[in-house]
Amino acid sequence: MAIDIKNIADLLKKQVADAQLSNQIVDVGEVVFSGDGIIKVKGLTNVKYYEVLSIQNGASAIALNLEENEVGAVVLDDDGSICQGMTVKTTGRLMSVPVGDALLGRIVDPLGNPLDGKGNINTNKYREIEVPSASIMDRSPVSQPLQTGLISIDSMIPIGRGQRELIIGDRQTGKTAIAIDTIINQKDKNVICVYVAIGQKSSTVNDVAHKLEAYGALDYSIIVSATAKDSAPLQYIAPYSGCSMAEEFMYNGKDVLIVYDDLSKHAVAYRTLSLLLKRPAGREAYPGDIFYLHSRLLERSVKLCDALGGGSITALPIVETQAGDISAYIPTNVISITDGQIYLETELFNAGTRPAVNVGLSVSRVGGSAQIKAMRSVAGTLRLDLAQYRELAVFTQFGSDLDNVTKAVLTHGEKLTELLKQPQYRPIPVAKQVVMLYVISLPALVAISKKHITKYFEEFLKYVEETNPAVYADIDNTKLLSEENKKWLGEAAESFTKSFLEKI
Ligand code: ATP
Ligand code: MG
């Protein structure tokens, strides 16, 4: 057979032209130290900050310390088999997690692996866990409310979509309870919820999952869990992973609520990492970039402008204080990053005021503009009334002779306090909250004593629902409490009070 040189040359030329050469340079290094979830690697000269490294045993690590002779990295899925001399390769990628609808209703670890035994997560969409937040021009002001269903919060510390509201308080003061109630209240409201558990007991996370499932809230929620038994690196990346999962929905025009429970433990995990990496320690032994750790996370919660779909991420970070000290390092940091805080107090909690919100120390810096008009009109003086009541209550503790005005302020304050108490897992729709707050100040209510307030409103709300449900529908549709409805409520309260007093 004759060999056609021209043909061969053409074939070769074509192959050369079609050849796809990847220009990725893979660096290969060697583990020189491994322990406590940290490895030191020699020989990686072209590694990038935050790049994912692939270790010989299949584990992956993130390069955090780039030093002259070696690289310090944190191992994410350490199974204890890493040893000196193993090869480590750079991958050219940053850490990413699976995102998308497939995650809804699932419990995953910070790497996106399922923890709930419901099979694989079928998605081919991934997002990097550390991305810059939306730019200034991409944002729009907070203008829509995000109802928590808790009357004390929706009336006085309103939260808007895209806001970051800190929940702060000592241990066992109902911090998680507020976050869970808010998630439950998003049912049928077209809000996706992400609950990130950091450094908690596995049993607590299990409880949360069961409660969400029982109240039908798991379908629109994702739980990202790095429990106390997980390594510090996993706990460290958990909130960023959760945030990326939330961002996927936000950039598709959806509203998302994300809860970080809690950032104190997150800071501790990061401190552990930093000390193991031998970074210099600062105040309370936290590293110097501890502020940036939380600010870059919380800055990713935004309300996007309409051109980008108008989605939002509302963040409820939780911080635990020691003996009510909100001036400690982490609490002050996070207070200054967020748009307000809900401060919970042990004394109030123990005295039976639950949710134990200290109204005086709690604020919402942007949510007011997102509150519906009807709520603003009935809750306008609530904060002041309560402050006045508390002040007088302190002064009159020992006195016996009180004038009528003082007595009226005191009894009204007591009733308001009673009204703001709310059991767990029982969110109240905003229309009902408006009716409650309007009716409590009516003259007809003077005859009702403090101990009957809860029962009174339970029955009154039902009475309105049965006789004139249009009141609720009106508030929901127009966002206003019309004069007509006010008049009707006034008359209804009068006649209802009469029959109520006869019954008890
Ligand atoms: P931790 O510091 O352990 O995380 P926490 O501050 O998150 O605690 P929760 O776990 O939410 O507090 O609540 C502590 C206890 O108080 C729980 O047993 C919970 O059921 C109860 N609790 C919380 N809120 C209420 C409420 N509004 N009414 C009645 N009980 C409540
Ligand atoms: Mg908790």
Side-chain angles (χ1 to χ4, degrees), residues 82-228:
I82 299 174
C83 56
Q84 264 186 23
M86 278 189 172
T87 55
V88 179
K89 288 185 195 150
T90 58
T91 59
R93 293 187 289 114
L94 299 180
M95 189 66 214
S96 45
V97 284
V99 294
D101 287 342
L103 284 155
L104 290 176
R106 303 298 301 266
I107 308 175
V108 294
D109 72 4
L111 303 171
N113 302 316
L115 296 175
D116 51 6
K118 290 188 193 161
N120 285 342
I121 288 167
N122 297 318
T123 179
N124 46 16
K125 278 194 266 182
Y126 285 82
R127 274 184 89 89
E128 287 175 1
I129 62 165
E130 288 269 6
V131 290
S133 61
S135 73
I136 297 173
M137 296 312 288
D138 292 344
R139 298 172 183 232
S140 73
V142 172
S143 59
Q144 260 180 306
L146 185 118
Q147 310 288 356
T148 60
L150 297 165
I151 187 163
S152 51
I153 295 175
D154 288 344
S155 62
M156 288 178 288
I157 320 152
I159 301 172
R161 295 188 180 185
Q163 185 177 346
R164 299 145 315 158
E165 182 79 11
L166 170 66
I167 301 173
I168 185 166
D170 280 4
R171 48 175 293 278
Q172 291 288 307
T173 48
K175 302 183 296 296
T176 306
I178 288 185
I180 298 305
D181 279 349
T182 310
I183 294 180
I184 291 173
N185 193 44
Q186 303 314 314
K187 197 170 175 156
D188 303 325
K189 299 231 173 73
N190 219 356
V191 176
I192 307 266
C193 301
V194 181
Y195 177 81
V196 185
I198 310 156
Q200 297 193 42
K201 285 178 289 190
S202 303
S203 62
T204 319
V205 182
N206 189 21
D207 270 357
V208 168
H210 281 299
K211 278 285 165 339
L212 290 184
E213 190 157 28
Y215 289 91
L218 198 59
D219 302 340
Y220 55 86
S221 306
I222 304 171
I223 298 179
V224 181
S225 163
T227 55

Side-chain angles (χ1 to χ4, degrees), residues 151 419 426-439 453-469 471-472 475 488-489 496:
I151 187 163
L419 182 82
R426 264 206 261 149
I428 307 175
V430 67
K432 288 189 175 170
Q433 294 183 15
V434 171
V435 168
M436 286 165 86
L437 289 169
Y438 177 70
V439 170
I453 284 289
T454 314
K455 189 157 181 284
Y456 180 91
F457 275 102
E458 216 168 87
E459 292 179 13
F460 184 76
L461 291 178
K462 241 183 251 156
Y463 171 76
V464 176
E465 197 153 340
E466 280 157 14
T467 50
N468 191 2
V471 174
Y472 297 146
I475 299 174
W488 185 86
L489 281 173
F496 185 81

